Amino acid sequence: MKAILLIIVSLLLIGCQNNKEINENEHHESNTEVVSESSNEVDNEKEQNSEDNSLNDGEDKEENMELWNDNKSEQLDEFIHRWEQDMGQEYTQYAPGKNADLYGVKIPDGILKGDNMQMQPVLGQPEYNETVSPLDLEWSKDGQSEADYAVVAVYSDDTQVNQNGPHHVYLFVLRNGEPNILYTEQNQGNENNYLYFWPTENQELMEGFVNIVNG
């Protein structure tokens, strides 16, 4: 009889142990599923954030790759106002429809290619035995142009009473994406109806413009 009781007790203990292991396995599998689901949610969130950051980075890079825009125009204007103080001059920004008056020539409208051209802009100074070549100028808001030179800004001290010499005009241009500044202080006409320009020798002005274009 005792032997039978021992067998029954042993079977009951074995059954309880098996049930405990089954419950533990089910609990472990359930926890594993929860952890896996949470991990997938985190991975999906990271992937979405990565895609959003990539889009934002792409937009920033696209803006920075623009040759010229309103932001760069504002930067140039701020730079000119600092630079003019060192020069002891006062410069005004001009654009098509808002022209400087260079001794009767409207700048820029009077030198841009088209029907409104008053004088042919040329590069070079014949008085210094330099070769003269016509300038193909077109106004551009983004630095792109089918002309040889995209004019993105014009500054002149034409409104300043200048007792020490002629007025100055600076054309801020891009040629094949490369920045340059063309300068003239011509104060009279000539038989060829040329308006002579040459690259500025003012390094501070040139470096400031280059940094803005490439910034």
Side-chain angles (χ1 to χ4, degrees), residues 3 21 28 63 70 79 81 91 93 106 111 117 126 129 145:
E21 291 178 354
H28 176 71
E63 181 176 353
D70 291 341
F79 172 76
H81 288 319
Y91 283 84
Q93 185 183 41
K106 294 180 179 180
I111 58 173
M117 181 182 288
N129 296 320
S145 176

Side-chain angles (χ1 to χ4, degrees), residues 29-43:
E29 291 174 358
S30 176
N31 287 341
T32 301
E33 291 176 357
V34 172
V35 171
S36 178
E37 290 176 359
S38 299
S39 177
N40 289 335
E41 290 177 359
V42 171
D43 290 341

Side-chain angles (χ1 to χ4, degrees), residues 12-31:
L12 289 173
L13 290 174
I14 292 171
C16 291
Q17 181 66 29
N18 288 338
N19 288 335
K20 180 179 179 182
E21 291 178 354
I22 291 172
N23 290 335
E24 288 178 351
N25 288 336
E26 290 178 348
H27 179 70
H28 176 71
E29 291 174 358
S30 176
N31 287 341

Side-chain angles (χ1 to χ4, degrees), residues 9-10 22 26 30 32 34 36 49 65 69 72 85 91 99-100 123 133 154 169 180 187 206 213:
V9 170
S10 297
I22 291 172
E26 290 178 348
S30 176
T32 301
V34 172
S36 178
N49 290 336
M65 288 175 63
N69 52 41
K72 292 184 177 183
Q85 295 178 10
Y91 283 84
N99 293 285
L123 184 65
S133 57
V154 173
V169 171
N180 204 345
N187 59 2
M206 187 63 199
V213 172

Side-chain angles (χ1 to χ4, degrees), residues 55-158:
L55 289 174
N56 291 333
D57 290 343
E59 291 174 357
D60 292 340
K61 289 179 179 178
E62 183 177 352
E63 181 176 353
N64 290 335
M65 288 175 63
E66 289 181 343
L67 291 173
W68 197 254
N69 52 41
D70 291 341
N71 182 47
K72 292 184 177 183
S73 180
E74 291 175 2
Q75 291 182 50
L76 178 61
D77 196 51
E78 293 173 358
F79 172 76
I80 291 294
H81 288 319
R82 294 193 301 269
W83 171 78
E84 68 182 1
Q85 295 178 10
D86 296 334
M87 299 294 293
Q89 299 166 343
E90 185 176 344
Y91 283 84
T92 302
Q93 185 183 41
Y94 294 101
K98 181 188 175 183
N99 293 285
D101 185 355
L102 185 66
Y103 308 104
V105 181
K106 294 180 179 180
I107 308 292
D109 283 345
I111 58 173
L112 299 177
K113 69 175 185 179
D115 296 336
N116 295 324
M117 181 182 288
Q118 294 175 270
M119 298 186 73
Q120 172 64 58
V122 296
L123 184 65
Q125 290 290 314
E127 59 188 277
Y128 300 126
N129 296 320
E130 295 178 354
T131 301
V132 174
S133 57
L135 287 169
D136 183 25
L137 304 175
E138 185 175 53
W139 187 262
S140 174
K141 292 183 178 180
D142 59 7
Q144 304 285 351
S145 176
E146 295 182 357
D148 289 341
Y149 292 86
V151 183
V152 296
V154 173
Y155 281 85
S156 177
D157 62 349
D158 66 312

